[in-house]
Amino acid sequence: MSEAAQTLEGWYALHDFRSVDWTAWRLATEQERATALDELHGFLAQWAEVEAQKNGSTAVYSIVGQKADFMIMHLRETLEELNELETAFNKTTFASFTYPVHSYVSIVELSNYMAQPGSDPLENPEIVARLKPILPKWKHICFYPMNKRRDGNDNWYMLSMDDRKTMMRSHGMIGRKYAGKVKQIITGSVGFDNWEWGVTLFSDDALQFKKLIYEMRFDEVSARFADFGDFYVGNFLDNEKFAHLLKI
Ligand code: 76R
């Protein structure tokens, strides 16, 4: 058996994708829409408060294309909190004008491929901050799930630790070229959802997603070993932009 990578876990993550029932929303009275928006803004304010207390983080983005209209990404200490959040939201008037189209459950994960031997990562404030990150409110988000292949000679899980380390170093070096331009949050979802990881990227320039992901395709770890699910891309929604999106 090859050596399993050691992982550190941080906050649990829920990516909650919704579409608006535009017909129902348009047919609602001004009063109903106003009540729904009040509730929505109440929730956004609560989530911002949790973030201000550093007990979690939430970011809301529109989704371009027909896969969803918007996405709420929540990070919280426990799976129970994520469950409470989604249920509370589902009970709102606003949620009755939306329908769930996709979700992804995972946990912020760092692996030890690039770790410095002999140091306790949990003593390192930078690492702790990466495990419990305040989500950037950058202009764009890109989310997709990913597996490492287990197929004949291309079986990631049968490789030696040294081979995986070498490949992950090369992966990390490509990633570092995008420092400051793209922020990545890797969430592990083995046992939680249908794929092994969720990849969430943030950038102020959406084109950098394409550049980074394309460059990585040529790197062995992605070229030989990565399988991907659906890609979601969208734009940051602050309270004002969210209200604008919903304006009839
Ligand atoms: O954590 C670190 O920054 C150390 C280096 C590193 C690891 C261990 C790193 C760096 N990643 C790591 C792990 Mn990554 N990453 C992806 C994708 O589209 C594709 O081809 C793959 C999707 C992108 C775009 C990306 C970006 N990374 C992982 C893992 C876990 C693997 C495992 O455990 O087997 C996955 C699934 C994954 C996938 N990676 C970086 C980036 C970027 C931008 C960096 C540099 C981060 C920085 O230095 O700030």
Side-chain angles (χ1 to χ4, degrees):
M1 192 181 118
S2 42
E3 183 188 342
Q6 300 297 312
T7 53
L8 294 171
E9 281 77 18
W11 277 336
Y12 282 90
L14 173 66
H15 294 70
D16 185 343
F17 296 84
R18 308 261 169 166
S19 279
V20 178
D21 182 344
W22 289 109
T23 309
W25 186 241
R26 200 173 46 244
L27 291 175
T29 63
E30 285 281 335
Q31 184 55 49
E32 280 173 310
R33 280 199 294 266
T35 309
L37 286 177
D38 268 1
E39 263 179 306
L40 172 65
H41 286 122
F43 270 81
L44 292 170
Q46 263 179 38
W47 300 335
E49 183 53 31
V50 171
E51 184 169 290
Q53 302 294 327
K54 301 205 162 53
N55 291 325
S57 182
T58 295
V60 186
Y61 281 83
S62 72
I63 296 294
V64 183
Q66 294 176 359
K67 293 184 189 115
D69 284 325
F70 65 93
M71 182 270 244
I72 309 171
M73 178 174 178
H74 291 296
L75 299 179
R76 291 294 184 276
E77 195 70 45
T78 65
L79 211 45
E80 283 86 353
E81 282 167 87
L82 288 181
N83 217 172
E84 276 164 28
L85 270 177
E86 63 171 343
T87 310
F89 184 73
N90 280 334
K91 289 178 188 165
T92 62
T93 310
F94 176 67
S96 67
F97 291 102
T98 71
Y99 42 96
V101 282
H102 187 56
S103 66
Y104 204 78
V105 179
S106 53
I107 187 165
V108 178
E109 178 189 293
L110 293 177
S111 54
N112 67 340
Y113 289 122
M114 308 271 274
Q116 305 201 337
S119 61
D120 177 356
L122 294 175
E123 294 291 315
N124 180 340
E126 267 176 41
I127 296 211
V128 174
R130 288 182 60 190
L131 290 170
K132 299 184 173 190
I134 298 303
L135 295 172
K137 309 297 182 278
W138 292 3
K139 278 166 71 181
H140 307 285
I141 198 165
C142 172
F143 170 78
Y144 52 100
M146 158 174 181
N147 284 344
K148 289 272 173 77
R149 200 165 292 157
R150 281 178 283 132
D151 185 16
N153 285 332
D154 295 337
N155 187 332
W156 176 255
Y157 296 92
M158 301 284 282
L159 299 178
S160 71
M161 186 62 171
D162 277 352
D163 286 352
R164 280 177 285 137
K165 264 190 183 157
T166 307
M167 279 189 250
M168 287 309 292
R169 187 160 301 119
S170 163
H171 167 85
M173 294 321 273
I174 295 177
R176 268 180 210 173
K177 288 203 255 169
Y178 292 80
K181 288 193 259 183
V182 178
K183 167 140 180 85
Q184 58 130 17
I185 296 180
I186 297 298
T187 51
S189 43
V190 170
F192 294 154
D193 218 316
N194 297 355
W195 295 77
E196 293 169 350
W197 290 277
V199 179
T200 310
L201 308 174
F202 299 86
S203 182
D204 277 331
D205 174 10
L207 193 54
Q208 296 306 315
F209 297 144
K210 179 176 184 293
K211 301 270 182 216
L212 165 63
I213 296 166
Y214 191 60
E215 190 171 349
M216 283 189 172
R217 287 290 154 98
F218 292 91
D219 186 53
E220 191 170 8
V221 73
S222 292
R224 262 183 80 194
F225 296 105
D227 285 319
F228 301 100
D230 285 347
F231 283 68
Y232 294 82
V233 69
N235 306 320
F236 180 62
L237 291 177
D238 58 17
N239 293 4
E240 211 176 301
K241 288 193 175 122
F242 209 166
H244 180 71
L245 183 148
L246 293 167
K247 202 169 166 57
I248 292 281

